[in-house]
Amino acid sequence: MLGISPKRAGISPKARSGAMSDALTEQFQSMVNEEVQDRRGLGLKAAFREVARLYGLTERRVRACWHREIRSVSAGEWEVVRCRRTEALQARLDRLQQQLERLHDTDRGAA
């Protein structure tokens, strides 16, 4: 032994979970970041706050996602974000469909 610990050499002593874990972490960050991007008109700080409230995360965790600094995601955290992102997208889709229907009704009334 040379007296160099794996930590000092830049190698984590824990085995990595594999590509699936990395892919899920990347997808988690993307879902959070897409929601931040959708709310960015409020200002970045306010968007972090809104997304944290929506997903039940801390503002610090949302900011870490924004900067792609997340190393791991728990199964519970992943599931909550996935479900709430799905709900948010569905609500947005419903609003857009209602707006389209109103536009089509206006077009029919004008014709």
Side-chain angles (χ1 to χ4, degrees), residues 7-54:
K7 196 169 191 174
R8 286 189 62 212
I11 303 167
S12 174
K14 296 180 182 177
R16 300 262 323 174
S17 301
M20 186 61 155
S21 176
D22 292 341
L24 288 177
T25 300
E26 181 61 34
Q27 195 172 14
F28 175 84
Q29 290 180 126
S30 293
M31 286 189 292
V32 171
N33 289 347
E34 287 166 6
E35 201 64 45
V36 169
Q37 192 66 37
D38 289 344
R39 298 166 192 277
R40 194 148 183 208
L42 303 169
L44 198 53
K45 194 171 186 176
F48 289 160
R49 188 173 31 255
E50 289 287 321
V51 172
R53 189 175 304 128
L54 174 69

Side-chain angles (χ1 to χ4, degrees), residues 50-68:
E50 289 287 321
V51 172
R53 189 175 304 128
L54 174 69
Y55 289 151
L57 302 171
T58 63
E59 287 181 47
R60 187 176 189 168
R61 185 79 165 153
V62 172
R63 192 176 324 108
C65 285
W66 182 256
H67 293 290
R68 301 284 181 187

